[in-house]
Amino acid sequence: MRLAAERFDVLVIGAGFAGLHALHTLRGMGRKVAVLDAAADVGGVWYWNRYPGARCDVESLQYSYSFDEQLEQEWQWSERYAAQPEILRYIQHVADRFDLRRDLRLNTRVASAVFNEAGEFWLLSTEDGRQFAAPHCIMATGALSVPRLPDIPGIGDFKGAIHHTGQWPHEGVDFSGQRVGVIGTGSSGIQAIPQLAKQAAALTVFQRTANFSIPAWNRQLGDEEQQAFKAVYREHRARAREVGTLYEFSDKGAFDVSQAEREREFERRWNKGGVNFVHSFNDLSTNKAANDTIAEFVRARIRRTVKDPAVAESLCPTDHPLGTKRICVDTGYFETYNLPHVRLVDLKKTPIDRFESHGVKVAGEEIALDALVCATGYDALTGAVMAIDIRGRGGLSLRDKWAQGPRTLLGLMTAGFPNLFIITGAGSPSVLVNMIVGIEHHVQWITDCLDYLQQKSISTIEASVPAEDRWVEHVNAAANRTLLPLANSWFLGANIPGKPRVFMPYAAKIGIYRRECQAVADKGYEGFILSTAGAPA
Ligand code: NA7
């Protein structure tokens, strides 16, 4: 059979942290790889998310690759939490340092991926009509990479500029003198709002759900502090493989201590800043009464910070336990509402009637706007995988298979789709842990697996249905042991109308998950069907 397609050993879709690491590792194994990405450069979400204030909420020294000790030592981070331009520079540096660019196919959007059963290869077709073929395909498409615009009546009539935080113009946007509206108060909105308020003449925030946010207390990273961390980088990395991000984990429950002691602990951690706050006690994510204590601490902080009591009340989250929507980390978010030109519209009290050509109508009032920022989030975890028309055995469509929610084995593969691997997808810890730790683990597992297949002359590997069913149940059970399913969050797909409500990430510690993945591999990929060329699966 003659193929017009370019042929490779492995195709990787996505040139973010996951795709580049997969390329580097596979190249080291002597595989011929191409990495396809719709963007014009590497970086994944860090390529697209250029909104003012975009910053990682995992500390820089941890939000970085661990696979190369020299890279780890030589790269200098400037801040405790790196801003988007610095993270993008880092990943561009990695691409250059390891000469990865020659295997990238940028400006290449994959439209379909079809498994050819007779030839046992994946055939990828791009939107501009090119084709690529390889026996193995890795989805490094990101968990938060398909932006979602709100479907609000009349929004198409609005004549001002509309910008989604996840598709920000590369040249930046000057809002000076403008009346700006922001929809969305998740991580992106909470980071962008204080920055937008610095420029806009008037800023109106349209809030559907009030969110918990912890101050970052971001600062410059001193040389000494950085060197001290780097001196024991191996120990830090080993620990991160167990726990994801290095927080101060408590061995006490919230009610093991007196109320005064509890408050002191919250206070101490609040003053240090960041997500560490959420780990003040070991039962905050499982015991609602314990969670109420930390939630009330944050609400008291909001009331203390925001001068207008009615605005403060609207900003106090009351409809979900703290941490059940992704916790936000901010710089001056709540303080922004004390500025005279910043207004909060609480959509729970006054919903948007409709957009009009020059603004928006809310409970009969017209609010004039020159520009609108949509910080309205993503079709999380499954969006990017399902954006591609993926066909497995017998022409089975992944979109059909996942119509009632994603089904995977270990988050890494899905039954009926041989040799198709997913990095940090649904059914793996994914967005619940430091993404780079998750990515490095998945790349290791997948590349070890490819090595094994080659050694044993196995041509296809795929999840078996019973093992997949057991894993889906296991993932559900893990979520149900926590408070996580209590919020209408994107973890559950609740932000997308019509998306089935299934808790998608695996809520166990990454150390536990790693051992589960390793045990499967050690038992010759138990739960997977392995077959040799031509043999029926
Ligand atoms: P998120 O966390 O999904 O936040 C989106 C926000 O937009 C959230 O406040 C939503 O309210 C709001 N939203 C979405 N649609 C609407 C409509 N139609 N009307 C009003 N408000 C709406 O996305 P982010 O980009 O902030 O963060 C995503 C992750 O990226 C973040 O956790 C980091 O990991 C990086 P809702 O809560 O659904 O009521």
Side-chain angles (χ1 to χ4, degrees):
M1 178 178 180
R2 197 175 159 276
L3 280 177
E6 270 192 82
R7 306 201 71 155
F8 295 89
D9 297 328
V10 186
L11 288 166
V12 179
I13 308 178
F17 272 98
L20 292 191
H21 182 36
L23 167 59
H24 177 62
T25 310
L26 288 161
R27 208 194 255 172
M29 294 160 59
R31 303 294 171 103
K32 187 179 171 204
V33 185
V35 178
L36 319 179
D37 197 302
D41 200 0
V42 297
V45 288
W46 298 108
Y47 173 86
W48 297 105
N49 275 260
R50 299 175 188 234
Y51 61 86
R55 193 178 286 289
C56 189
D57 55 12
V58 175
E59 296 194 21
S60 315
L61 284 158
Q62 297 185 52
Y63 193 79
S64 55
Y65 288 122
S66 76
F67 70 80
D68 187 279
E69 287 189 42
Q70 231 177 331
L71 167 72
E72 171 175 91
Q73 290 296 328
E74 76 192 11
W75 183 265
Q76 285 290 110
W77 293 101
S78 69
E79 293 178 275
R80 176 182 183 190
Y81 296 103
Q84 174 272 336
E86 188 170 16
I87 300 174
L88 188 58
R89 277 199 302 281
Y90 171 76
I91 192 158
Q92 288 168 338
H93 167 76
V94 171
D96 294 332
R97 192 186 190 286
F98 297 99
D99 185 25
L100 300 178
R101 293 187 185 275
R102 64 187 154 91
D103 290 326
L104 304 180
R105 300 289 189 281
L106 298 169
N107 301 301
T108 301
R109 187 175 286 283
V110 177
S112 67
V114 178
F115 186 66
N116 181 311
E117 286 191 72
E120 297 185 325
F121 63 87
W122 281 95
L123 183 65
L124 271 48
S125 302
T126 66
E127 279 186 351
D128 59 6
R130 285 171 292 156
Q131 290 196 316
F132 299 84
H136 300 98
C137 180
I138 300 177
M139 304 297 292
T141 38
L144 294 154
S145 49
V146 177
R148 216 190 124 254
L149 282 166
D151 186 15
I152 296 175
I155 197 157
D157 301 335
F158 182 61
K159 296 268 186 298
I162 300 181
H163 301 291
H164 191 286
T165 45
Q167 278 176 335
W168 203 256
H170 288 197
E171 63 282 10
V173 187
D174 183 5
F175 291 107
S176 306
Q178 295 195 9
R179 295 160 301 182
V180 179
V182 182
I183 302 182
T185 50
S187 287
S188 304
I190 281 177
Q191 288 185 334
I193 286 162
Q195 297 303 318
L196 295 170
K198 287 182 185 163
Q199 271 194 3
L203 184 72
T204 308
V205 178
F206 300 93
Q207 172 192 274
R208 185 163 70 184
T209 308
N211 230 326
F212 291 100
S213 187
I214 315 305
W217 306 129
N218 189 34
R219 53 178 165 73
Q220 296 294 305
L221 258 190
D223 264 2
E224 235 172 77
E225 180 183 359
Q226 196 152 177
Q227 286 324 313
F229 194 93
K230 287 180 174 180
V232 281
Y233 232 144
R234 303 279 35 92
E235 285 93 317
H236 288 317
R237 299 297 200 186
R239 175 111 184 97
R241 286 184 196 112
E242 266 307 301
V243 299
T245 313
L246 309 179
Y247 298 121
E248 241 182 291
F249 294 99
S250 171
D251 55 5
K252 288 190 185 129
F255 300 112
D256 292 344
V257 300
S258 67
Q259 186 182 347
E261 217 174 302
R262 204 161 49 235
E263 295 281 319
R264 270 200 303 279
E265 184 60 3
F266 291 149
E267 180 94 27
R268 183 182 75 78
R269 289 182 183 243
W270 182 271
N271 292 336
K272 283 179 123 181
V275 178
N276 192 43
F277 176 74
V278 174
H279 300 281
S280 301
F281 295 98
N282 65 10
D283 53 355
L284 297 171
S285 62
T286 51
N287 176 339
K288 175 69 169 57
N291 193 288
D292 287 344
T293 65
I294 193 167
E296 195 45 43
F297 179 90
V298 176
R299 286 190 286 265
R301 286 297 166 141
I302 296 171
R303 291 183 186 113
R304 197 197 290 181
T305 307
V306 179
K307 293 192 179 123
D308 181 325
V311 175
E313 230 32 65
S314 283
L315 287 167
C316 283
T318 50
D319 67 349
H320 62 281
L322 183 144
T324 55
K325 277 181 179 252
R326 201 169 187 289
I327 193 82
C328 301
V329 175
D330 73 275
T331 298
Y333 174 64
F334 293 111
E335 291 82 347
T336 302
Y337 293 94
N338 294 331
L339 299 172
H341 67 297
V342 176
R343 172 179 175 189
L344 180 74
V345 173
D346 183 343
L347 298 179
K348 290 254 157 76
K349 292 186 186 137
T350 51
I352 292 177
D353 300 330
R354 59 175 292 109
F355 268 86
E356 294 176 335
S357 59
H358 294 96
V360 61
K361 213 169 196 176
V362 177
E365 180 196 348
E366 280 177 24
I367 301 175
L369 296 176
D370 302 307
L372 178 67
V373 172
C374 292
T376 42
Y378 300 87
D379 186 353
L381 284 124
T382 54
V385 176
M386 288 170 79
I388 298 170
D389 184 8
I390 301 179
R391 305 282 169 152
R393 283 202 191 279
L396 175 65
S397 149
L398 187 69
R399 288 174 187 158
D400 287 345
K401 180 183 168 184
W402 284 8
Q404 299 311 313
R407 302 188 72 76
T408 68
L409 176 51
L410 302 174
L412 281 156
M413 298 195 89
T414 183
F417 297 81
N419 293 357
L420 181 78
F421 299 91
I422 306 167
I423 297 185
T424 62
S428 79
S430 186
V431 291
L432 297 181
V433 297
N434 178 346
M435 289 301 287
I436 312 240
V437 175
I439 283 168
E440 289 196 328
H441 169 246
H442 272 183
V443 168
Q444 186 69 55
W445 193 93
I446 293 167
T447 53
D448 283 352
C449 174
L450 292 181
D451 203 26
Y452 178 89
L453 301 183
Q454 188 177 49
Q455 280 176 32
K456 304 265 177 194
S457 302
I458 293 163
S459 59
T460 61
I461 177 166
E462 59 195 289
S464 75
V465 173
E468 181 170 286
D469 290 347
R470 281 195 298 277
W471 185 255
V472 170
E473 245 174 68
H474 183 62
V475 169
N476 286 336
N480 289 333
R481 282 194 292 275
T482 72
L483 303 173
L484 284 162
L486 296 184
N488 284 325
S489 69
W490 51 258
F491 298 144
L492 270 162
N495 62 327
I496 307 286
K499 190 166 173 171
R501 296 215 174 185
V502 174
F503 194 85
M504 295 183 282
Y506 177 39
K509 275 227 160 65
I510 188 145
I512 295 172
Y513 172 70
R514 295 173 75 91
R515 281 186 282 283
E516 288 172 328
C517 291
Q518 191 57 48
V520 165
D522 289 347
K523 289 182 201 152
Y525 296 90
E526 187 182 49
F528 289 89
I529 304 163
L530 312 179
S531 61
T532 45

